[in-house]
Structures are given as C-alpha cells and as structure tokens.
Amino acid sequence: MLQQVRRIHLQAKKLVQSRLSGDYRSIFKGSGLIFDEVREYQPGDDVRTIDWNVTARMNQPFIKRFSEEREQTLCIVVDVSTSHDFGSRVRTKRTVAAEMAAVLALSAMANNDQVGLILGSTDLELFLQPGRGHSHMLRLVREILFFQPKHPGGSLANLLANTHRLLPKRAIVVLFSDFIDQHYQKELRIAAHRHDLIAVRITDPLEQQLPTIGWCTLRDAETQQQVVLNLSDRQVQAEILRSIQKISENTSNSCRTVGVDLLEVSTTDDHFAKLVDLFARREQRIRKHRQ
C-alpha cells in the first residue's frame, strides 16, 4: 500500500514541477478581491477607486487598492461505488482517480491552496477536511485507493448533494465517476452554479467492447444481479454498445447543458496528458474571454 502511494506521489510531483504548477494558477482564479492598501491618487488611476473618507481627512485624493484573493479550496470528489474497482488492464478506475487527484492536489498545494476529499457511494463515505502538507496529500491518495465503502452501490445525486452540504463556500470541485447513473442532473446544475466544477468520466476498454466468447454469466458489481448472454451474438453486442453510447451521450449533454468541463479518460489512456490538455483548453477559453 505504502509503495503504491509513494509511487503515485513521486510521479505526480515530477509532472507538477515540470508542467502544471503555473498552469493551475492561471486557470483557477481567486474567488474575489480583498483590500490591499490606500495610497495617493496618481494621474491615470481609476477615479472610481477614490477613498472619499481618507481624501477628506488628508485634503488630497487617495485611492483604495485591491488584490486577488488567491487562496482557494480544491475538493476532490470521488465516486467509490463498486464499479470503480474494475479495470481490465493495468489500472482500475480508482487508481486512475488517485493518480489524477495527486497531480491536482500537488498543483493546488504549490499555490498555497487547501485540498479536501469527499468519497461517496449511495451515501457519504468519507469527508477529509481541506488541508495542506505532505502527509495530508499522502493520506488523500491512500483513501482514494484503499478506502472500503460501506455500500456497494452509487448515487451521483447523493454524492453531489453531500458536496453542497459540506462545502458552503465556493471551491474548485473535481468529480471523478464513471457516470453509470441517472437522475443526477439537478444536483449537477446546483454544483456547477456554486462551484468551479470539473467532471472526469473514467471508463475501461472492456466496457466498450466485450469479448465474443459465447454464452457467459455477467454479474452487476453493485446490485449483484446476474444475466446470461451470448456474447458471440452480434445483436447482443450491438445492444451493449448502444447502452454504453447512451451513457456517454447523457453525460456529455448533462455537463454541456450546465457549463461543466468534461474530461473523458480510459484506464488505458495517458491520463496525465489528458489533464494537461484540459488545462490548455481552460486557459485558451480564459484568454478568449478576456479579448
């Protein structure tokens, strides 16, 4: 366990130091402005910033200066329903979430932001209060990888509702899930309104294309329901593919409707490269908005 956590930490640290620390600061702006100082008015200053009380006392114009309230909270929210323990190759969905969360957490801490963690299934499983520091970050990764939930099922609606309750102030929220769920759109819209929300959908290649191995028994990891299917039947394969595509389309439409950035990642992808691409897309959008 310790070796795996340390491996992820070192891998994430290398990426953050080489590429992402400055990018994180540029795409996640502070939540507002805080008072900095009062100084004498100079030609070219915005007259709207004049502090009239100080100006009256000093008998000459003074202005208020403000700076960005830089310190923020990043909260990693992970769906730990049993389907996230699945992985047909080297990594499980949970491992991918842990590795990407480590990169985000280190980027946040490098900018003096606090990082918290919420794990959920059909109910709240764990809330790790926002904090900083090396040991805090290692615990965050360990919990994502190895926490054993009390409930096998999952509910994105409940997970997002618990996020609203536990984060009363605006935060950067990164949600990791496979989005194999329904009826979460209302809570997703609320989360997108309250926070800077990013959704990361994690999939596995075997979910996209089951092997043609004839008759076999499949079991739902969350409900334990079983079904016997002929996976060599083209119609069966086509129906499975349609179901998977429907989940993908529903996720994309739900996120697009409420203005949430969606990152699609497979357990076999270079998910660090995907994260870099996401940062680049957000930075490009911010630049266009400023123009």
Side-chain angles (χ1 to χ4, degrees):
M1 182 188 297
L2 186 59
Q3 287 180 345
Q4 191 170 357
V5 172
R6 284 178 173 171
R7 176 188 63 79
I8 291 175
H9 173 255
L10 291 173
Q11 194 175 16
K13 186 176 180 180
K14 182 178 179 181
L15 181 66
V16 170
Q17 289 176 341
S18 62
R19 300 195 63 176
L20 289 182
S21 182
D23 292 343
Y24 175 94
R25 184 180 181 88
S26 66
I27 67 171
F28 295 119
K29 291 297 182 182
S31 57
L33 298 176
I34 56 174
F35 175 73
D36 189 10
E37 64 175 353
V38 173
R39 66 162 173 79
E40 291 185 28
Y41 175 86
Q42 297 176 1
D45 286 338
D46 189 342
V47 296
R48 292 174 295 181
T49 63
I50 292 177
D51 186 325
W52 295 106
N53 291 329
V54 176
T55 296
R57 288 199 306 268
M58 302 300 294
N59 206 25
Q60 64 183 49
F62 277 75
I63 66 167
K64 291 181 179 179
R65 293 190 64 189
F66 296 86
S67 59
E68 182 186 3
E69 188 176 13
R70 177 59 246 175
E71 184 177 306
Q72 299 190 94
T73 297
L74 166 68
C75 189
I76 305 296
V77 181
V78 184
D79 177 355
V80 290
S81 55
T82 310
S83 64
H84 288 79
D85 293 328
F86 178 72
S88 62
R89 308 290 174 85
V90 178
R91 297 179 179 89
T92 65
K93 296 177 186 178
R94 268 230 233 177
T95 305
V96 172
E99 291 178 348
M100 297 181 74
V103 173
L104 291 167
L106 280 174
S107 297
M109 290 179 185
N111 284 278
N112 205 37
D113 288 351
Q114 297 188 91
V115 183
L117 174 67
I118 297 175
L119 303 181
S121 54
T122 52
D123 202 353
L124 176 67
E125 295 283 352
L126 174 72
F127 176 46
L128 183 60
Q129 289 277 359
R132 302 183 183 90
H134 179 74
S135 60
H136 180 78
M137 186 269 178
L138 291 178
R139 183 188 172 189
L140 184 144
V141 173
R142 185 184 74 241
E143 297 289 6
I144 298 175
L145 282 173
F146 300 110
F147 183 86
Q148 295 298 313
K150 297 177 183 178
H151 310 284
S155 170
L156 275 176
N158 288 346
L159 180 56
L160 289 166
N162 281 315
T163 301
H164 311 332
R165 179 174 60 84
L166 295 168
L167 299 176
K169 295 183 179 180
R170 183 172 179 83
I172 304 163
V173 175
V174 184
L175 170 64
F176 291 92
S177 176
D178 55 16
F179 286 84
I180 304 176
D181 200 358
Q182 301 180 51
H183 313 304
Y184 59 84
Q185 286 75 11
K186 177 183 176 182
E187 300 298 337
L188 186 71
R189 181 167 57 252
I190 295 172
H193 177 72
R194 293 185 180 179
H195 305 289
D196 185 353
L197 177 63
I198 295 174
V200 182
R201 178 172 178 252
I202 308 175
T203 60
D204 186 89
L206 196 59
E207 295 172 330
Q208 313 294 322
Q209 183 66 56
L210 292 174
T212 54
I213 54 176
W215 291 95
C216 67
T217 302
L218 303 179
R219 178 173 57 86
D220 188 309
E222 297 182 10
T223 66
Q224 302 303 312
Q225 291 182 333
Q226 295 185 356
V227 62
V228 179
L229 295 175
N230 181 6
L231 295 183
S232 295
D233 188 319
R234 291 183 180 179
Q235 290 185 341
V236 171
Q237 288 281 359
E239 183 62 31
I240 293 172
L241 182 59
R242 278 194 294 270
S243 297
I244 294 298
Q245 289 175 339
K246 185 176 180 180
I247 293 171
S248 180
E249 290 170 3
N250 287 343
T251 305
S252 298
N253 292 337
S254 297
C255 290
R256 183 170 55 252
T257 300
V258 298
V260 170
D261 281 327
L262 173 64
L263 184 61
E264 302 255 8
V265 179
S266 169
T267 55
T268 57
D269 281 340
D270 181 350
H271 38 281
F272 293 134
K274 293 260 184 154
L275 200 54
V276 171
D277 289 342
L278 172 67
F279 276 39
R281 280 192 280 120
R282 285 179 65 100
E283 187 173 16
Q284 185 178 27
R285 187 171 66 242
I286 291 171
R287 287 178 179 175
K288 286 183 179 180
H289 180 72
R290 288 173 179 171
Q291 294 173 355

